[in-house]
Amino acid sequence: MSRPPLAREKVLDAFEHVLLVEGERAATMDRVAAEAGVSKGGLLYHFASKIALEEALIERMDHLVALDMDEMLADPSGVAAAFIRSSAQTGDELDRAITAVGRLASNGSALSVEAIRRLRVTWHDALKPFVESEVGLELILLVSDGVYFNNALTIGSVPEIADMEALITMVTTAAGVQSPAA
Amino acid sequence: MSRPPLAREKVLDAFEHVLLVEGERAATMDRVAAEAGVSKGGLLYHFASKIALEEALIERMDHLVALDMDEMLADPSGVAAAFIRSSAQTGDELDRAITAVGRLASNGSALSVEAIRRLRVTWHDALKPFVESEVGLELILLVSDGVYFNNALTIGSVPEIADMEALITMVTTAAGVQSPAA
DNA sequence: GTCTATATTATGATAGAC
DNA sequence: GTCTATCATAATATAGAC
């Protein structure tokens, strides 16, 4: 707990970065060690195996998700709007972690698949009280997934979001979201 | 052209299958050959490299997309509705091909990333005449991506679709889709 | 805690028999 | 067209010095 060693964080950052920019195939132990500026031995001191690296990344994601949830619940524009907008926040800490874990998930990492599924349930339960129908809730989650997917697809480059606010209005209206002012 | 050899198709099916069920990591030449019931040498006669395998899968996807497009345009319930419904058609030939190529794409295969991007443009252009606004069009594409993403995530198992028809109605209404009867 | 070997296995690809 | 070796390289992981 308390304060994780700097080198450990550097390695985890490097793992995440390579996953995002070049994909899972490129994220080998050698490559990650080089990216982090440590030797392979150094990396293996902190993470004894590749699975240990994955677990650490999932843990990071879970932590950031919890923080984000608190922020969303406090957002004056409403939870649902905050949620969709948040899924378009490419490049922030949370989005990077989710996308990186998503890459692992689409590669057969059972732990990561499970982590993403848990994440979806968490979001579902958090949004439920604010949306009138289950279908509306599903719509919101699907749009968020779509936005995420398009971000994830664009390996290494920043994707284009056209008119996010108009989209958010359209979705929240159609889904039947409780007005934040109400 | 004309009629591709049976063994070639078997290998391609095996490649696709392993990609879907176990992910890109598992889809090695050895594994695919075994899955197809041929030797590695046999596989390599038809596909000289891993990239050749990828290219063939992309070609299959492009072909199936073209066929699907014809069907969608002829669908009496409207192109947009047919499109969303089609993205939920887990397990059919087209969906399998797209998901498999998607797996390659999320692994840094430049060819596959390009192929998925092309696909998205194709869909965008095909739907455009039937949707009132660009935002509405974007909504439809994002929901489709979301549905696809959830299918793709669930490695090896079948995902749950709650009330697809209600979702389609909600999306097409919100997006402002030209009525098929009109 | 971090490093340099080194072992071990997996992977993509070649060569050549049948 | 399909097979059985075989090779070269790259990946994960270990051992042990500093």
Side-chain angles (χ1 to χ4, degrees), chain B residues 118-154:
Chain B
R118 271 201 316 273
L119 173 57
R120 237 188 157 265
V121 172
T122 302
W123 281 337
H124 179 280
D125 294 349
L127 289 173
K128 197 173 178 52
F130 301 95
V131 184
E132 280 166 17
S133 66
E134 183 64 31
V135 178
L137 178 47
E138 199 154 344
L139 172 64
I140 292 173
L141 289 171
L142 285 173
V143 169
S144 163
D145 287 343
V147 171
Y148 161 82
F149 171 75
N150 277 281
N151 288 351
L153 192 66
T154 322

Side-chain angles (χ1 to χ4, degrees), chain A residues 57-58 108 110 146:
Chain A
L57 192 61
I58 290 170

Side-chain angles (χ1 to χ4, degrees), chain B residues 75-87:
Chain B
D75 193 300
S77 70
V79 188
F83 175 69
I84 296 175
R85 203 175 291 112
S86 159
S87 56

